[in-house]
Amino acid sequence: MKKLIITIDGPAASGKEKIAKYISKKWKLNHLDSGILYRRLALIFLIENIDFKSIHKIKNKLKEIRQISFRNSKKIRTQVISKLASKIAVHNCVRNFVNKFQYNFVNKNKKMRGFVIDGRDIGSVVFKKADLKLYIDVNPEIRAKRRYKQLIDSGEKSIYPKILRDIKLRDKQDKLRKHSPLIIPKGSHIINNNGRFKDTVNQINILLDKI
Ligand code: DC
């Protein structure tokens, strides 16, 4: 039976994860957060002090890595890792490396009914032929406010203007890079997530009912 694939793309802190979890629960689909893979690599590069500006050193390190954990954790959710993940994601060799794990994840979990995968290039590059493509739109100020609250609630120190600056910087890096930049994928539906989650879910349910 053909596997159902739903892709969710959007900028940093746009609520992709919450939306992906909602869909995954409602439709019993396996959820893959591709950002975790970039964050895990960023953590490895940070711990091992790999010069992320040297393509040669990055390639050598990637040759050594056999597996990346798909597990979320507090240590990959820091501002430092967010920024570093966005920086290493500009390199094509890093993107190809991460994509291999994504294809493998989908191919090996054969028993699953389907997948919901979120990131920056999922509907535009990784799974271009997905059954449903969503692009999440939220203005930067609202994203920064939500991220600020999240960090404060989890006990991290946080300053709103700095969060807003970092979000805008990450948007710029993710949208202007040469390889697989963040774009609104062809054939995707734009979901407005500026308001209440209930309103977002209503927009999504209309689309899910049509699959
Ligand atoms: O979704 P996130 O904030 O966890 O992603 C962290 C960074 O990883 C993001 O700023 C850019 C990169 N990324 C990417 O380039 N492509 C993806 N599909 C997912 C994440």
Side-chain angles (χ1 to χ4, degrees), residues 130-191:
D131 302 277
L132 176 67
K133 299 183 191 184
L134 306 178
Y135 181 88
I136 315 301
D137 189 35
V138 185
N139 75 48
E141 287 74 18
I142 292 183
R143 286 187 274 140
K145 261 189 217 156
R146 289 177 183 166
R147 177 52 55 89
Y148 171 77
K149 189 173 178 302
Q150 225 175 36
L151 289 169
I152 293 290
D153 288 349
S154 71
E156 261 208 61
K157 278 198 190 127
S158 183
I159 303 164
Y160 173 78
K162 186 169 182 310
I163 302 277
L164 181 60
R165 216 171 41 236
D166 284 353
I167 277 188
K168 285 184 174 169
L169 177 72
R170 248 188 337 134
D171 282 357
K172 206 167 146 192
Q173 261 163 3
D174 294 346
K175 286 179 179 172
L176 297 183
R177 69 180 173 225
K178 184 170 160 211
H179 304 292
S180 312
L182 171 66
I183 55 165
I184 300 175
K186 212 166 149 189
S188 64
H189 300 267
I190 299 179
I191 303 295

Side-chain angles (χ1 to χ4, degrees), residues 11-28:
S14 54
K16 299 183 296 293
E17 195 192 352
K18 191 169 175 186
I19 293 170
K21 287 213 163 99
Y22 168 80
I23 297 176
S24 133
K25 194 165 169 213
K26 183 165 177 174
W27 279 62
K28 299 192 174 47

